[in-house]
Amino acid sequence: MTESADRAAFSLKRVNAAALLDFAWRTEAYTASDAIAATRLARSTVITLCDELVERGWLAELPNARAAGEYRKGRPARRYELRADAGAVLGVDAGQHCVTAAVADLRGRELARAATEIDPDGAVRRAAVTDATIDRALASAGVPPSAVMSIAVGVPAPTDADGGSPDGEHEFWSRMNPGFAAHFRERGWLTEVENDANLAAIAEGALGAGVGASSYIALMSGERFGAGYVVDGHLVRGRRGGAGELRALALVEGVGSTEGIGALLREWAVDLRRSGAVDESSPLATTPRARLGAEVVLRAAESGDPDALRLVDRMAERLARICAVLGGLLDVERIVFSGAVAESLGLLLPRTAARLDELTHPPAPRLVASPLGGGVVSLGALARALEIVRAHAIGLEPAAPIREQTIPF
């Protein structure tokens, strides 16, 4: 066989192995016949590749189909499954005020998470805090750093193709992303650093309120607004990764800034109380100043408090204008409100939707609250880290292989 023929055979084997491994990722326990039907590879090819992937440590061979009770007659079929413990992935939300790290196996099952509060204005090394948080999560999961195959990190900043962020916003972006990409690649991990709203959009499409929609917006709506756009099934990043930065809201009449629901309801409630125009029995008057925030306002509005309801109506007008602009530009099916504040929007969203209907041509985008809570960015990061492993699996070495010698593809 010539050298070019050797290379062609090597390449074909690699492609076939990748197809078989991708099938294993999409299914539970399977037989060679199952794999043949899904990949259309020859039986001999499938059986050989399954044996080699077992030897490499990617697959586990299970008790045969007869032993598993699937049938009683004929030759028992061998059964295989992906080794979920062949490696681990990390999803990190390196937020402005808190760093959260989550660990999952190769089936995406979360094993552990850890969080560290951080002062965004203090003299602190964000990379060191993130390392310590990751190490705590790995220790809790019982996963050694050597088993980590991929990490995805969400930051409140635009990111370019290499995971870097510009100095913009008075160096806020570069402070939030102090070279995470190079830092984690030095640890030997496949690394992606992505805008936090983009990772929220990935999480919503995989697990949350974006499931089943081909075009939607994940709107991070806590302290500031940021958006992740999925249009026709594709995440839209833009030339420099800044597609979801909403600085243009400063130009929208009735909006004027990127301040989010959490920041604005807190500010408005404090201003109202300071003005003396709030009823003495209202929770907006009786709640200690340090605890007077969006959750208090929204809960009071749900109980019928007139002062809180006025603030909710003011916020609904603002949100409707934001949704009219974003939905009109991108023609999306849904706008998903993501983040910790989402669980408190039961009264606000219907009022926003009613005003949105007046501002747009029908049908207006459907407004929905995310079910994923404050962990949405880390969940999106886990999902993205797992995608990266699946895309590069054949070139990776599983943790604790059955034999030390591996078979190259």
Side-chain angles (χ1 to χ4, degrees):
M1 185 178 286
T2 66
E3 182 177 345
S4 61
D6 284 340
R7 284 199 300 270
F10 176 87
S11 178
L12 179 60
K13 182 176 183 181
R14 187 182 181 94
V15 168
N16 290 342
L20 181 59
L21 196 51
D22 187 63
F23 166 71
W25 235 300
R26 290 183 283 110
T27 190
E28 298 297 331
Y30 69 91
T31 66
S33 296
D34 297 328
I36 292 164
T39 64
R40 299 188 181 279
L41 296 174
R43 175 172 291 276
S44 59
T45 300
V46 166
I47 291 174
T48 298
L49 288 175
C50 282
D51 287 342
E52 293 183 358
L53 288 170
V54 167
E55 188 169 4
R56 278 196 71 184
W58 278 114
L59 301 181
E61 185 167 0
L62 304 174
N64 63 51
R66 179 181 293 165
E70 293 186 9
Y71 67 85
R72 297 182 180 180
K73 295 183 178 180
R75 183 178 178 180
R78 297 168 67 188
R79 298 165 66 247
Y80 308 89
E81 71 174 0
L82 178 79
R83 276 188 58 219
D85 63 349
V89 296
L90 284 165
V92 176
D93 177 5
Q96 182 178 358
H97 300 280
C98 182
V99 175
T100 301
V103 188
D105 66 19
L106 296 188
R107 287 288 188 188
R109 292 183 287 254
E110 187 172 313
L111 304 176
R113 66 172 48 223
T116 305
E117 298 292 328
I118 186 170
D119 179 0
D121 300 318
V124 64
R125 292 184 61 239
R126 292 180 67 82
V129 171
T130 305
D131 276 340
T133 307
I134 286 170
D135 289 344
R136 290 202 339 263
L138 290 173
S140 295
V143 172
S146 59
V148 174
M149 291 182 165
S150 176
I151 180 173
V153 184
V155 295
T159 60
D160 60 26
D162 292 325
S165 297
D167 288 334
E169 299 293 313
H170 307 289
E171 299 187 351
F172 173 80
W173 288 341
S174 56
R175 192 166 71 250
M176 293 298 101
N177 180 16
F180 280 130
H183 178 74
F184 290 119
R185 285 170 187 149
E186 287 179 357
R187 299 187 70 167
W189 300 338
L190 292 174
T191 301
E192 184 167 299
V193 181
E194 181 60 273
N195 173 261
D196 53 4
N198 286 345
L199 291 178
I202 290 173
E204 298 296 352
L207 305 165
V211 172
S214 63
S215 296
Y216 62 92
I217 297 170
L219 190 61
M220 299 293 289
S221 44
E223 290 299 301
R224 67 180 183 92
F225 285 115
Y229 309 136
V230 174
V231 178
D232 297 332
H234 300 286
L235 182 69
V236 178
R237 303 188 72 259
R239 180 166 61 93
R240 293 171 296 181
E245 293 298 320
L246 298 181
R247 285 172 292 172
L249 291 180
L251 306 176
V252 178
E253 183 179 355
V255 179
S257 75
T258 61
E259 290 179 286
I261 294 171
L264 285 172
L265 286 180
R266 179 175 62 248
E267 176 186 325
W268 294 347
V270 169
D271 288 346
L272 187 63
R273 185 154 96 178
R274 187 183 296 122
S275 73
V278 61
D279 188 280
E280 293 182 357
S281 64
S282 169
L284 277 60
T286 60
T287 300
R289 171 80 176 267
R291 292 173 46 208
L292 185 56
E295 186 177 351
V296 172
V297 174
L298 293 168
R299 190 167 56 243
E302 287 181 348
S303 67
D305 181 84
D307 295 313
L309 282 169
R310 282 195 295 273
L311 296 186
V312 167
D313 285 337
R314 182 180 175 187
M315 180 59 70
E317 175 68 25
R318 188 184 187 97
L319 288 184
R321 290 174 179 269
I322 293 171
C323 293
V325 170
L326 298 180
L329 285 173
L330 297 173
D331 190 25
V332 295
E333 303 167 50
R334 301 174 199 169
I335 297 179
V336 180
F337 287 79
S338 296
V341 74
E343 63 186 23
S344 302
L345 300 182
L347 188 67
L348 178 58
L349 288 192
R351 293 172 181 240
T352 303
R355 179 60 176 138
L356 180 61
D357 285 339
E358 298 172 358
L359 295 175
T360 60
H361 293 292
R366 183 171 158 236
L367 307 185
V368 293
S370 169
L372 301 181
V376 62
V377 174
S378 58
L379 291 173
L382 284 176
R384 180 61 189 136
L386 193 55
E387 288 177 355
I388 293 168
V389 172
R390 289 182 64 169
H392 297 85
I394 290 301
L396 299 174
E397 290 300 326
I402 293 176
R403 297 184 186 178
E404 290 188 7
Q405 182 180 5
T406 60
I407 298 173
F409 289 114

